[in-house]
PDB file of all heavy atoms in Angstrom:
ATOM      1  N   ARG D 125      98.945 166.819  54.137  1.00  0.00           N
ATOM      2  CA  ARG D 125      97.580 166.814  53.638  1.00  0.00           C
ATOM      3  C   ARG D 125      96.902 165.448  53.880  1.00  0.00           C
ATOM      4  O   ARG D 125      95.731 165.373  54.298  1.00  0.00           O
ATOM      5  CB  ARG D 125      97.576 167.042  52.138  1.00  0.00           C
ATOM      6  CG  ARG D 125      97.423 168.448  51.787  1.00  0.00           C
ATOM      7  CD  ARG D 125      96.017 168.863  52.189  1.00  0.00           C
ATOM      8  NE  ARG D 125      95.813 170.196  51.685  1.00  0.00           N
ATOM      9  CZ  ARG D 125      95.638 170.430  50.392  1.00  0.00           C
ATOM     10  NH1 ARG D 125      95.582 169.440  49.537  1.00  0.00           N
ATOM     11  NH2 ARG D 125      95.516 171.643  49.976  1.00  0.00           N
ATOM     12  N   ILE D 126      97.636 164.373  53.556  1.00  0.00           N
ATOM     13  CA  ILE D 126      97.073 163.025  53.696  1.00  0.00           C
ATOM     14  C   ILE D 126      96.515 162.867  55.125  1.00  0.00           C
ATOM     15  O   ILE D 126      95.424 162.374  55.327  1.00  0.00           O
ATOM     16  CB  ILE D 126      98.146 161.956  53.483  1.00  0.00           C
ATOM     17  CG1 ILE D 126      98.555 161.960  52.017  1.00  0.00           C
ATOM     18  CG2 ILE D 126      97.637 160.572  53.885  1.00  0.00           C
ATOM     19  CD1 ILE D 126      99.636 160.923  51.701  1.00  0.00           C
ATOM     20  N   PHE D 127      97.326 163.365  56.040  1.00  0.00           N
ATOM     21  CA  PHE D 127      96.965 163.299  57.431  1.00  0.00           C
ATOM     22  C   PHE D 127      95.639 163.987  57.712  1.00  0.00           C
ATOM     23  O   PHE D 127      94.800 163.474  58.436  1.00  0.00           O
ATOM     24  CB  PHE D 127      98.068 163.994  58.210  1.00  0.00           C
ATOM     25  CG  PHE D 127      98.272 163.374  59.526  1.00  0.00           C
ATOM     26  CD1 PHE D 127      98.247 162.007  59.661  1.00  0.00           C
ATOM     27  CD2 PHE D 127      98.489 164.155  60.635  1.00  0.00           C
ATOM     28  CE1 PHE D 127      98.424 161.420  60.884  1.00  0.00           C
ATOM     29  CE2 PHE D 127      98.692 163.580  61.859  1.00  0.00           C
ATOM     30  CZ  PHE D 127      98.640 162.226  61.981  1.00  0.00           C
ATOM     31  N   ARG D 128      95.471 165.143  57.064  1.00  0.00           N
ATOM     32  CA  ARG D 128      94.262 165.910  57.322  1.00  0.00           C
ATOM     33  C   ARG D 128      93.023 165.200  56.751  1.00  0.00           C
ATOM     34  O   ARG D 128      91.976 165.215  57.357  1.00  0.00           O
ATOM     35  CB  ARG D 128      94.409 167.289  56.657  1.00  0.00           C
ATOM     36  CG  ARG D 128      93.804 168.323  57.562  1.00  0.00           C
ATOM     37  CD  ARG D 128      93.927 169.668  56.986  1.00  0.00           C
ATOM     38  NE  ARG D 128      95.118 169.822  56.169  1.00  0.00           N
ATOM     39  CZ  ARG D 128      95.213 170.767  55.227  1.00  0.00           C
ATOM     40  NH1 ARG D 128      94.189 171.548  54.990  1.00  0.00           N
ATOM     41  NH2 ARG D 128      96.314 170.878  54.547  1.00  0.00           N
ATOM     42  N   VAL D 129      93.206 164.615  55.579  1.00  0.00           N
ATOM     43  CA  VAL D 129      92.077 163.874  54.984  1.00  0.00           C
ATOM     44  C   VAL D 129      91.702 162.707  55.906  1.00  0.00           C
ATOM     45  O   VAL D 129      90.536 162.412  56.151  1.00  0.00           O
ATOM     46  CB  VAL D 129      92.424 163.393  53.572  1.00  0.00           C
ATOM     47  CG1 VAL D 129      91.310 162.549  52.998  1.00  0.00           C
ATOM     48  CG2 VAL D 129      92.741 164.578  52.669  1.00  0.00           C
ATOM     49  N   LEU D 130      92.767 162.030  56.412  1.00  0.00           N
ATOM     50  CA  LEU D 130      92.544 160.886  57.309  1.00  0.00           C
ATOM     51  C   LEU D 130      91.809 161.309  58.568  1.00  0.00           C
ATOM     52  O   LEU D 130      91.021 160.541  59.126  1.00  0.00           O
ATOM     53  CB  LEU D 130      93.913 160.362  57.720  1.00  0.00           C
ATOM     54  CG  LEU D 130      94.053 158.863  57.839  1.00  0.00           C
ATOM     55  CD1 LEU D 130      94.407 158.305  56.488  1.00  0.00           C
ATOM     56  CD2 LEU D 130      95.131 158.533  58.824  1.00  0.00           C
ATOM     57  N   LYS D 131      92.134 162.519  59.008  1.00  0.00           N
ATOM     58  CA  LYS D 131      91.562 163.032  60.262  1.00  0.00           C
ATOM     59  C   LYS D 131      90.043 163.039  60.203  1.00  0.00           C
ATOM     60  O   LYS D 131      89.360 162.908  61.204  1.00  0.00           O
ATOM     61  CB  LYS D 131      92.081 164.453  60.468  1.00  0.00           C
ATOM     62  CG  LYS D 131      92.168 164.882  61.894  1.00  0.00           C
ATOM     63  CD  LYS D 131      93.022 166.120  61.983  1.00  0.00           C
ATOM     64  CE  LYS D 131      92.174 167.383  62.068  1.00  0.00           C
ATOM     65  NZ  LYS D 131      93.046 168.583  62.184  1.00  0.00           N
ATOM     66  N   MET D 132      89.551 163.242  58.999  1.00  0.00           N
ATOM     67  CA  MET D 132      88.107 163.311  58.812  1.00  0.00           C
ATOM     68  C   MET D 132      87.588 161.895  58.600  1.00  0.00           C
ATOM     69  O   MET D 132      88.288 160.933  58.675  1.00  0.00           O
ATOM     70  CB  MET D 132      87.773 164.149  57.586  1.00  0.00           C
ATOM     71  CG  MET D 132      88.645 165.342  57.408  1.00  0.00           C
ATOM     72  SD  MET D 132      88.196 166.589  58.610  1.00  0.00           S
ATOM     73  CE  MET D 132      89.406 167.849  58.242  1.00  0.00           C
ATOM     74  N   ALA D 133      86.292 161.883  58.306  1.00  0.00           N
ATOM     75  CA  ALA D 133      85.656 160.675  57.805  1.00  0.00           C
ATOM     76  C   ALA D 133      85.883 159.448  58.659  1.00  0.00           C
ATOM     77  O   ALA D 133      85.863 159.548  59.880  1.00  0.00           O
ATOM     78  CB  ALA D 133      86.118 160.416  56.363  1.00  0.00           C
ATOM     79  N   ARG D 134      86.178 158.340  58.019  1.00  0.00           N
ATOM     80  CA  ARG D 134      86.117 157.047  58.662  1.00  0.00           C
ATOM     81  C   ARG D 134      87.055 156.873  59.856  1.00  0.00           C
ATOM     82  O   ARG D 134      86.780 156.138  60.793  1.00  0.00           O
ATOM     83  CB  ARG D 134      86.425 155.974  57.629  1.00  0.00           C
ATOM     84  CG  ARG D 134      85.187 155.200  57.317  1.00  0.00           C
ATOM     85  CD  ARG D 134      85.267 154.052  56.448  1.00  0.00           C
ATOM     86  NE  ARG D 134      86.507 153.754  55.801  1.00  0.00           N
ATOM     87  CZ  ARG D 134      87.110 152.554  55.953  1.00  0.00           C
ATOM     88  NH1 ARG D 134      86.589 151.662  56.729  1.00  0.00           N
ATOM     89  NH2 ARG D 134      88.206 152.283  55.305  1.00  0.00           N
ATOM     90  N   TYR D 135      88.228 157.532  59.804  1.00  0.00           N
ATOM     91  CA  TYR D 135      89.226 157.284  60.821  1.00  0.00           C
ATOM     92  C   TYR D 135      89.183 158.329  61.938  1.00  0.00           C
ATOM     93  O   TYR D 135      90.034 158.340  62.807  1.00  0.00           O
ATOM     94  CB  TYR D 135      90.605 157.229  60.181  1.00  0.00           C
ATOM     95  CG  TYR D 135      90.672 156.093  59.216  1.00  0.00           C
ATOM     96  CD1 TYR D 135      90.554 156.304  57.861  1.00  0.00           C
ATOM     97  CD2 TYR D 135      90.794 154.786  59.674  1.00  0.00           C
ATOM     98  CE1 TYR D 135      90.557 155.247  56.967  1.00  0.00           C
ATOM     99  CE2 TYR D 135      90.802 153.732  58.787  1.00  0.00           C
ATOM    100  CZ  TYR D 135      90.683 153.954  57.441  1.00  0.00           C
ATOM    101  OH  TYR D 135      90.684 152.917  56.590  1.00  0.00           O
ATOM    102  N   SER D 136      88.182 159.223  61.880  1.00  0.00           N
ATOM    103  CA  SER D 136      88.159 160.329  62.834  1.00  0.00           C
ATOM    104  C   SER D 136      88.095 159.840  64.272  1.00  0.00           C
ATOM    105  O   SER D 136      88.693 160.410  65.167  1.00  0.00           O
ATOM    106  CB  SER D 136      86.990 161.258  62.528  1.00  0.00           C
ATOM    107  OG  SER D 136      85.810 160.590  62.806  1.00  0.00           O
ATOM    108  N   SER D 137      87.365 158.724  64.502  1.00  0.00           N
ATOM    109  CA  SER D 137      87.229 158.220  65.884  1.00  0.00           C
ATOM    110  C   SER D 137      88.575 157.765  66.442  1.00  0.00           C
ATOM    111  O   SER D 137      88.983 158.151  67.549  1.00  0.00           O
ATOM    112  CB  SER D 137      86.225 157.080  65.895  1.00  0.00           C
ATOM    113  OG  SER D 137      86.447 156.242  66.995  1.00  0.00           O
ATOM    114  N   ALA D 138      89.309 156.964  65.650  1.00  0.00           N
ATOM    115  CA  ALA D 138      90.624 156.500  66.073  1.00  0.00           C
ATOM    116  C   ALA D 138      91.562 157.676  66.251  1.00  0.00           C
ATOM    117  O   ALA D 138      92.339 157.759  67.207  1.00  0.00           O
ATOM    118  CB  ALA D 138      91.202 155.523  65.050  1.00  0.00           C
ATOM    119  N   PHE D 139      91.471 158.637  65.303  1.00  0.00           N
ATOM    120  CA  PHE D 139      92.321 159.809  65.325  1.00  0.00           C
ATOM    121  C   PHE D 139      92.090 160.623  66.593  1.00  0.00           C
ATOM    122  O   PHE D 139      93.012 161.060  67.277  1.00  0.00           O
ATOM    123  CB  PHE D 139      91.988 160.657  64.099  1.00  0.00           C
ATOM    124  CG  PHE D 139      93.063 161.613  63.765  1.00  0.00           C
ATOM    125  CD1 PHE D 139      94.024 161.270  62.835  1.00  0.00           C
ATOM    126  CD2 PHE D 139      93.129 162.850  64.347  1.00  0.00           C
ATOM    127  CE1 PHE D 139      95.033 162.167  62.511  1.00  0.00           C
ATOM    128  CE2 PHE D 139      94.131 163.733  64.042  1.00  0.00           C
ATOM    129  CZ  PHE D 139      95.080 163.374  63.126  1.00  0.00           C
ATOM    130  N   ASN D 140      90.804 160.826  66.925  1.00  0.00           N
ATOM    131  CA  ASN D 140      90.480 161.640  68.077  1.00  0.00           C
ATOM    132  C   ASN D 140      90.917 160.948  69.389  1.00  0.00           C
ATOM    133  O   ASN D 140      91.330 161.607  70.324  1.00  0.00           O
ATOM    134  CB  ASN D 140      88.968 161.885  68.146  1.00  0.00           C
ATOM    135  CG  ASN D 140      88.556 162.926  67.125  1.00  0.00           C
ATOM    136  OD1 ASN D 140      89.367 163.780  66.766  1.00  0.00           O
ATOM    137  ND2 ASN D 140      87.322 162.847  66.648  1.00  0.00           N
TER     138      ASN D 140
END
Side-chain angles (χ1 to χ4, degrees):
Chain D
R125 267 292 187 73
I126 291 180
F127 212 42
R128 219 180 328 158
V129 176
L130 217 88
K131 208 166 99 179
M132 322 286 178
R134 252 186 353 124
Y135 298 101
S136 67
S137 156
F139 200 95
N140 286 332

